[in-house]
Amino acid sequence: METANSSNILASTFYLTGIPGYEEFHHWISIPFCLLYLIGIMGNCTILHVVWTDPRLHEPMYYFLAMLSLTDMGMSLPTVISLFRVLWSISREIQFNTCVVQMFFIHTFSFTESSVLLAMALDLYVAICHPLRYATILTPTLITKIGIVALLRSAFAMIPLLARLAFFPFCHSHVLSHSYCLHQDMIRLACADTKFNVIYGLVLITLLWGMDSLGIFVSYVFILHSVLNISSQEGRFKALNTCASHICAVLILYVPMIGLSIVHRFAKHSSPLIHIFMAHIYLLVPPVLNPVIYSVKTKKIRQGILHLLFPLRISSSVM
């Protein structure tokens, strides 16, 4: 009986939601979304291309920045097709198995991005507190291992959570709150005991995001202690300025993430527009802003992009 129920769930169809009350404007609303996705994709692809092709950027800091760009795209790209299918009135339907795959990518890369930000904080700590040992500590092999562990940790942590969904009956509404699938939205529709998913989800957030954010905080405590021991004011400013881009990246990931979790758990009866607004900020703001922040604040990245756009002009100025 349980197997038959599971197969029925896997064949179930769910219905995505655009912007409630503004259905007649969906085509117009799709224009800013399209621009934001294009900016995010072009910005992150530019960062990846510059880091890959410019030998001056073959350093730990820029390898971690490339990982950040990959996780940004991994978190936002799975939503593109379903979002524009809804906004362009093609179809609101999504199959259960497609929904689970979409959830897996969104949540896995969200947790992975948090781990990458922790790795970047450790990179800053080593660079500022132990500059002479920087190259020997952060070797290419260690950086590769950090990236693989961050991805596998997030992926394996999501499997029990999503596997349980196959055994939940969805006997009432099949209408989701967003134009893509989120775990906290899906379990809201289940007419079964979802206590395991709720508790496991909270434990997962506490352990992964909580430990990552604690690690980032501790790294900055040591960084601040080291910076305050620098005698020159110019040296202090330079060291703190190095951290500015990373602090911005941390804020634009964690603030929407925490906001979305609070809205789903404690403001269930608030306006649907608030849920939708927070969800889109959570998925679109980091991929759009991270490349802009790092391009503006990081000199070598800025030079690499200018060299990519104006190769002849930059080469002649160097000569």
Side-chain angles (χ1 to χ4, degrees):
M1 187 71 181
E2 190 171 329
T3 305
N5 180 58
S6 177
S7 62
N8 289 334
I9 295 299
L10 292 173
S12 294
T13 299
F14 289 82
Y15 298 91
L16 302 167
T17 302
I19 313 293
Y22 297 89
E23 286 80 5
E24 66 269 30
F25 301 111
H26 274 181
H27 285 81
W28 293 106
I29 292 170
S30 70
I31 295 173
F33 277 110
C34 190
L35 290 174
L36 287 172
Y37 273 106
L38 284 174
I39 292 168
I41 292 167
M42 289 176 63
N44 286 293
C45 286
T46 301
I47 295 286
L48 289 169
H49 178 76
V50 168
V51 172
W52 179 267
T53 57
D54 193 336
R56 296 173 304 166
L57 301 181
H58 293 174
E59 298 177 8
M61 172 186 174
Y62 304 107
Y63 290 143
F64 287 128
L65 179 56
M67 288 183 198
L68 186 67
S69 292
L70 284 172
T71 55
D72 275 336
M73 290 197 292
M75 192 168 70
S76 62
L77 285 180
T79 66
V80 172
I81 295 175
S82 61
L83 172 64
F84 287 108
R85 276 169 60 87
V86 172
L87 294 181
W88 292 342
S89 304
I90 298 171
S91 176
R92 291 177 54 216
E93 295 183 358
I94 186 168
Q95 297 302 312
F96 176 82
N97 51 0
T98 306
C99 203
V100 170
V101 171
Q102 191 179 60
M103 278 188 283
F104 176 78
F105 280 109
I106 292 171
H107 294 300
T108 294
F109 280 106
S110 174
F111 286 128
T112 304
E113 180 152 342
S114 177
S115 302
V116 171
L117 289 173
L118 171 59
M120 295 175 83
L122 295 174
D123 170 72
L124 288 169
Y125 162 73
V126 176
I128 293 172
C129 301
H130 305 284
L132 298 178
R133 298 171 55 199
Y134 183 72
T136 56
I137 294 174
L138 291 171
T139 61
T141 303
L142 179 61
I143 293 167
T144 304
K145 288 179 180 178
I146 289 172
I148 293 171
V149 168
L151 181 60
L152 292 180
R153 183 192 75 156
S154 305
F156 284 125
M158 286 305 303
I159 291 172
L161 202 63
L162 300 182
R164 285 269 302 173
L165 292 175
F167 301 99
F168 286 159
F170 296 90
C171 49
H172 300 308
S173 173
H174 279 214
V175 179
L176 298 167
S177 303
H178 307 293
S179 52
Y180 41 81
C181 302
L182 294 173
H183 172 262
Q184 55 267 45
D185 194 21
M186 180 72 81
I187 60 170
R188 182 179 58 85
L189 304 178
C191 16
D193 185 7
T194 60
K195 190 178 294 182
F196 171 83
N197 282 56
V198 172
I199 295 173
Y200 184 89
L202 288 172
V203 170
L204 210 58
I205 290 170
T206 304
L207 287 179
L208 299 187
W209 288 346
M211 294 300 290
D212 290 344
S213 56
L214 179 62
I216 292 169
F217 175 76
V218 171
S219 296
Y220 272 102
V221 169
F222 284 108
I223 288 169
L224 188 60
H225 180 266
S226 181
V227 167
L228 292 175
N229 289 331
I230 298 174
S231 55
S232 68
Q233 188 172 352
E234 184 182 350
R236 291 180 187 177
F237 177 78
K238 187 177 179 181
L240 290 174
N241 190 52
T242 305
C243 303
S245 302
H246 181 259
I247 292 171
C248 291
V250 169
L251 291 176
I252 63 177
L253 175 70
Y254 279 105
V255 171
M257 188 187 290
I258 293 167
L260 182 63
S261 297
I262 290 172
V263 165
H264 270 287
R265 282 175 173 78
F266 304 110
K268 294 178 181 178
H269 303 293
S270 61
S271 169
L273 291 176
I274 295 175
H275 291 254
I276 291 166
F277 181 70
M278 290 301 300
H280 284 304
I281 287 178
Y282 163 61
L283 288 178
L284 279 176
V285 169
V288 170
L289 289 187
N290 280 336
V292 174
I293 291 168
Y294 276 94
S295 299
V296 171
K297 297 293 293 180
T298 310
K299 185 178 179 181
K300 286 186 179 180
I301 291 290
R302 191 166 61 248
Q303 288 176 340
I305 293 172
L306 290 173
H307 187 271
L308 178 65
L309 297 174
F310 312 106
L312 295 177
R313 189 180 301 178
I314 299 297
S315 299
S316 61
S317 65
V318 171
M319 292 176 66

